[in-house]
């Protein structure tokens, strides 16, 4: 693993420096000169730190001077595994194109970047590139354009529940499931059961009656009438999550209709 201060590959645009004029991402909002050849081919803004969290989404916005009615391509490279290389799979993002812009107008390239749940926490490098006619590789050495380097501080994300478990009704002897939707860094699930109207909850383990007890979906098999009124919840844990408890799902057992009185023969006298 390379620290953020380690050397990343150089990048150059020998034909002309056509500058990036704005990078907006997370808490980075950096406006720079629109003058052609007025700044280096690679600008070092690594003192600027953008704070992001694993699994979360952020909008990347870039502006730039195209030196006339030309199309430039904007790309971003982020060293998620902190190995000092910007060419690993999953580290490149095409943001879009900018056409015929002074760099000071409203034209911009915009895309959403999702921070991988597997991204290493701590500081790492982000390189933003803009190139005429084609995307620039992170170590580009041809053509017209510019690159800017920044630091991202990757933090683990606390587990959050976006869809709570819902009440469920199962026919006597039938099967069903209860689910929760959550996001967070390396979160774990543990379903719990209360048989005393919510006074106490105990962890459930996989077996004949329950499966998926440590996933986001609990499967209930062969529920009988004695399960009626059982209450279920799930507990989330993880590096940045400590005992986040979901809402309650209550199980109702439905009894199929049964015939309690059979029809009997009848006779009628003729009038």
């Amino acid at each position: 693993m390379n620290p953020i201060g380690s050397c990343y590959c150089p990048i150059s645009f020998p034909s002309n420096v056509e500058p990036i004029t704005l990078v907006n991402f997370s808490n980075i909002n950096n406006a720079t000169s629109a003058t052609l050849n007025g700044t280096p081919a690679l600008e070092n803004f690594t003192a600027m730190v953008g704070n992001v969290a694993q699994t979360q989404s952020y909008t990347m916005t870039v502006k730039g001077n195209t030196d006339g009615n030309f199309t430039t391509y904007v790309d971003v490279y982020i060293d998620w595994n902190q190995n000092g290389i910007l060419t690993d799979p999953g580290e490149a993002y095409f943001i879009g194109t900018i056409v015929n812009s002074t760099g000071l107008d409203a034209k911009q390239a915009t895309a959403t970047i999702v921070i991988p749940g597997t991204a290493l926490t701590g500081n790492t490098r982000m390189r933003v590139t803009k190139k005429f006619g084609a995307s620039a590789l992170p170590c580009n050495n041809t053509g017209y354009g510019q690159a800017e380097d920044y630091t991202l501080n990757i933090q683990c994300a606390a587990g959050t529940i976006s869809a709570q478990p819902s009440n469920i009704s199962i026919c006597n002897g039938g099967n069903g499931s209860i689910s929760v939707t959550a996001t967070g860094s390396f979160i774990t699930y543990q379903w719990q059961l209360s048989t005393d109207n919510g006074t106490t909850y105990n962890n459930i383990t996989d077996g004949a009656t329950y499966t998926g007890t440590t996933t986001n979906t609990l499967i209930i098999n062969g529920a009988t009438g004695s399960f009626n009124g059982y209450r279920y919840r799930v507990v989330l844990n993880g590096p940045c999550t400590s005992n986040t408890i979901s809402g309650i799902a209550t199980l109702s057992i439905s009894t199929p209709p049964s015939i309690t009185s059979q029809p009997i023969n009848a006779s009628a006298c003729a009038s």
Side-chain angles (χ1 to χ4, degrees), residues 11-13 16-21 32-33 35 38-43 45 73 128-132 136 144-148:
I11 185 169
S12 62
F13 298 88
N16 223 11
V17 175
E18 297 176 354
I20 296 168
T21 58
T32 51
S33 171
T35 303
T39 48
L42 173 61
E43 292 204 88
F45 295 116
Y73 292 71
V128 182
T129 67
K130 182 180 77 69
K131 184 180 180 180
F132 162 68
Y144 305 76
Q146 192 179 49
E148 294 182 351

Side-chain angles (χ1 to χ4, degrees), residues 174-249:
N175 306 327
S177 64
I178 305 171
S179 294
V180 67
T181 302
T183 58
S185 299
F186 302 102
I187 55 174
T188 62
Y189 301 87
Q190 176 60 64
W191 286 94
Q192 296 183 330
L193 165 66
S194 173
T195 60
D196 56 6
N197 297 317
T199 301
T200 59
Y201 282 87
N202 296 298
N203 291 345
I204 312 171
T205 57
D206 281 5
T209 304
Y210 299 105
T211 56
T213 56
T214 57
T215 72
N216 71 314
T217 300
L218 175 69
I219 307 297
I220 305 171
N221 303 298
T224 64
S226 62
F227 285 37
N228 189 61
Y230 279 9
R231 300 184 183 189
Y232 299 87
R233 70 184 189 184
V234 67
V235 180
L236 305 183
N237 277 288
C240 291
T241 306
S242 180
N243 294 325
T244 296
I245 300 174
S246 74
I248 305 303

Side-chain angles (χ1 to χ4, degrees), residues 51-248:
N51 297 309
V52 296
Q54 295 165 334
T55 75
Q56 302 302 299
S57 300
Y58 301 86
T59 300
M60 170 66 73
T61 301
V62 179
K63 292 184 177 183
N65 189 341
T66 64
D67 192 18
N69 190 13
F70 302 104
T71 299
T72 57
Y73 292 71
V74 178
D75 295 84
V76 170
Y77 301 91
I78 305 173
D79 186 12
W80 298 126
N81 60 3
Q82 299 181 25
N83 67 348
I85 300 171
L86 295 167
T87 55
D88 290 328
E91 294 187 340
Y93 298 85
F94 176 63
I95 306 304
T97 60
I98 303 172
V99 182
N100 193 23
S101 175
T102 64
L104 300 176
D105 50 37
K107 297 175 182 179
Q108 60 189 30
T110 302
T112 298
I113 294 177
V114 180
I115 311 304
T118 55
L120 296 182
T121 56
N123 288 344
T124 196
R125 183 67 55 92
M126 177 176 74
R127 177 165 291 178
V128 182
T129 67
K130 182 180 77 69
K131 184 180 180 180
F132 162 68
S135 290
L137 294 174
C139 308
N140 178 86
N141 60 5
T142 63
Y144 305 76
Q146 192 179 49
E148 294 182 351
D149 277 1
Y150 295 88
T151 299
L152 290 187
N153 177 28
I154 301 171
Q155 303 162 348
C156 63
T160 57
I161 297 173
S162 56
Q164 296 284 353
S166 300
N167 295 338
I168 182 175
S169 179
I170 301 175
C171 287
N172 190 17
N175 306 327
S177 64
I178 305 171
S179 294
V180 67
T181 302
T183 58
S185 299
F186 302 102
I187 55 174
T188 62
Y189 301 87
Q190 176 60 64
W191 286 94
Q192 296 183 330
L193 165 66
S194 173
T195 60
D196 56 6
N197 297 317
T199 301
T200 59
Y201 282 87
N202 296 298
N203 291 345
I204 312 171
T205 57
D206 281 5
T209 304
Y210 299 105
T211 56
T213 56
T214 57
T215 72
N216 71 314
T217 300
L218 175 69
I219 307 297
I220 305 171
N221 303 298
T224 64
S226 62
F227 285 37
N228 189 61
Y230 279 9
R231 300 184 183 189
Y232 299 87
R233 70 184 189 184
V234 67
V235 180
L236 305 183
N237 277 288
C240 291
T241 306
S242 180
N243 294 325
T244 296
I245 300 174
S246 74
I248 305 303

